[in-house]
Amino acid sequence: MNNYDKTIVERIHIIKGDITKMDVDAIVNAANPSLLGGGGVDGAIHRAAGPQLLEECRTLGGAKPGEAKITKGYLLPAKYVIHTPGPVYRGGNQHEATILKNSYRNSMQLAKQYNCRSIAFPAISTGVYGYPKDEACKIAIDTVLDFMQKENFFIDIYFVLYDEDNFSLYTTYLKELSK
Ligand code: AR6
């Protein structure tokens, strides 16, 4: 396990609930490569943001797994939506971990570029895309901590978990890191 400065770990907050309600600078969408909407958290974000979000997404030309693209938040409390397709989990030997890391890192990069002071992430790829939740949780938290540390970019990070399994995994792992 990595050793992170306590003040960096304290910037991470674990929340159980619906990411569309988050009043932060940017929320991250677990999208698919078309960036034209879908089910799960993607569907919820598009419903809450309204049809203008899809209009802007049509201009983006999609995104490869691990890439991230930014739009406005429209009717959401959040100013921006950062859209990133995570990997589809196919057993773990298809670069899934690298792609998932890229999704978190590229989202943080856009947050930095757009001067965001707060960002909310869902548990990317752990729904329909089937990524094992325990491994995905560690990748998510480690990657944002690494980014903050290496880039000297310290913002409030909210992991907004919809299901009890993810909420409990994130809470436990963050506790371990806070020791
Ligand atoms: N707020 C926060 N988390 C949520 C919400 C919500 N409102 N709704 C669901 N989740 P998934 P993926 C959680 O399937 O695995 C879409 O169709 C959910 O419990 O949304 O990356 C896209 O268009 C799970 O833990 O995303 C893609 O085709 C997590 O969000 C595909 O699904 C991710 O589940 C992407 O699959």
Side-chain angles (χ1 to χ4, degrees), residues 51-93:
Q52 280 181 295
L53 179 61
L54 182 58
E55 260 174 57
E56 186 175 356
C57 282
R58 286 191 205 285
T59 69
L60 300 176
K64 295 196 188 86
E67 284 184 349
K69 295 200 175 169
I70 193 164
T71 62
K72 286 183 261 181
Y74 298 98
L75 302 178
L76 292 165
K79 187 169 178 199
Y80 299 112
V81 181
I82 294 171
H83 307 260
T84 180
V88 176
Y89 192 79
R90 295 195 174 90
N93 293 319

Side-chain angles (χ1 to χ4, degrees), residues 56-133:
E56 186 175 356
C57 282
R58 286 191 205 285
T59 69
L60 300 176
K64 295 196 188 86
E67 284 184 349
K69 295 200 175 169
I70 193 164
T71 62
K72 286 183 261 181
Y74 298 98
L75 302 178
L76 292 165
K79 187 169 178 199
Y80 299 112
V81 181
I82 294 171
H83 307 260
T84 180
V88 176
Y89 192 79
R90 295 195 174 90
N93 293 319
Q94 308 290 319
H95 310 287
E96 292 96 331
T98 306
I99 296 167
L100 190 59
K101 246 180 251 171
N102 289 344
S103 282
Y104 284 98
R105 197 184 297 123
N106 288 326
S107 297
M108 289 294 286
Q109 190 65 56
L110 278 173
K112 187 176 180 195
Q113 208 175 312
Y114 282 77
N115 294 315
C116 296
R117 305 310 308 163
S118 54
I119 185 170
F121 286 97
I124 300 168
S125 281
T126 67
V128 185
Y129 279 3
Y131 207 110
K133 290 177 181 175

